Amino acid sequence: MARRWIPVAVGAALVALVPAARAQMGPALARTVVTAANYVSLAPVPRGRMFEVAVVATIKTTYHINAHKVLDEFLIPTEIEGQAPAGFRVVATEYPAGEQRQFSFSKKKLAVYTGQVIVRMKVEAEAKAPLGATELPFSLRYQACNDTMCLPPVKVPVSVRVTVAKAGTVAKAIHKEIFRR
């Protein structure tokens, strides 16, 4: 008689696990919607010199992410987060304007990014910046949606590697295709 209850107990356990599995899949899926790459404008970066960092986010087709300047206070904006380590100072972060689009789940148009978006940061390597290779630990925070649903917001690391040289070192402009204006 106890054996009759085993399939029922196993079935009930599986049904109880489905919501937990879906909750785990949401952030995992959201992390796959955007691929982030980063670029530095100079190599090496001399102490005391300003340089640029670009985070290039490529968004999967059929998805969008909210722009940095959202049109509704309840939406989660796309942002670069993190503190520059000692010896570096973020002077400015420039986000492009979003594209205004209408979606089935909203009565109002939303400001979003689709395809590819480039966020630029102006950074200073201060006189006390450590010489050699250094990581600037930033993260890209976004919420990805399609026309019918939104995934949970996530943060993906976009640590930027720079090589710092002595003040006065000749720096070469690199990644001109990203930094030309």
Side-chain angles (χ1 to χ4, degrees):
M1 183 114 82
R3 291 182 187 231
R4 289 185 200 169
W5 290 102
I6 291 174
V8 173
V10 169
L14 289 174
V15 168
L17 290 175
V18 168
R22 281 192 185 141
Q24 295 285 329
M25 284 177 23
L29 176 59
R31 282 183 181 78
T32 67
V33 172
V34 175
T35 304
N38 58 69
Y39 301 89
V40 178
S41 64
L42 297 177
V45 174
R47 282 179 165 170
R49 181 95 182 257
M50 195 78 66
F51 64 100
E52 286 188 272
V53 170
V55 175
V56 180
T58 303
I59 305 152
K60 279 189 177 179
T61 306
T62 74
Y63 283 94
H64 65 270
I65 60 176
N66 294 320
H68 178 66
K69 290 192 178 189
V70 294
L71 301 179
D72 187 322
E73 65 184 274
F74 299 106
L75 297 174
I76 296 168
T78 295
E79 293 183 321
I80 300 292
E81 297 181 340
Q83 289 288 329
F88 295 89
R89 183 173 65 95
V90 176
V91 176
T93 303
E94 299 171 5
Y95 296 89
E99 171 189 355
Q100 291 196 19
R101 294 190 49 195
Q102 184 71 47
F103 296 97
S104 63
F105 58 81
S106 176
K107 293 179 182 174
K108 299 188 292 185
K109 286 188 174 185
L110 305 178
V112 299
Y113 301 134
T114 59
Q116 191 174 74
V117 61
I118 301 174
V119 178
R120 290 181 169 80
M121 294 186 290
K122 291 186 188 315
V123 182
E124 179 184 9
E126 298 174 331
K128 62 184 179 202
L131 293 172
T134 302
E135 291 283 327
L136 306 180
F138 297 107
S139 60
L140 175 65
R141 179 176 177 255
Y142 64 87
Q143 182 172 28
C145 304
N146 61 25
D147 195 36
T148 59
M149 67 168 192
C150 287
L151 299 171
V154 293
K155 290 182 188 181
V156 295
V158 289
S159 291
V160 178
R161 186 174 200 77
V162 299
T163 301
V164 178
K166 293 178 184 176
T169 300
V170 175
K172 179 182 176 188
I174 58 174
H175 304 295
K176 293 176 185 176
E177 71 282 4
I178 301 291
F179 294 103
R180 71 172 169 227
R181 292 197 187 213

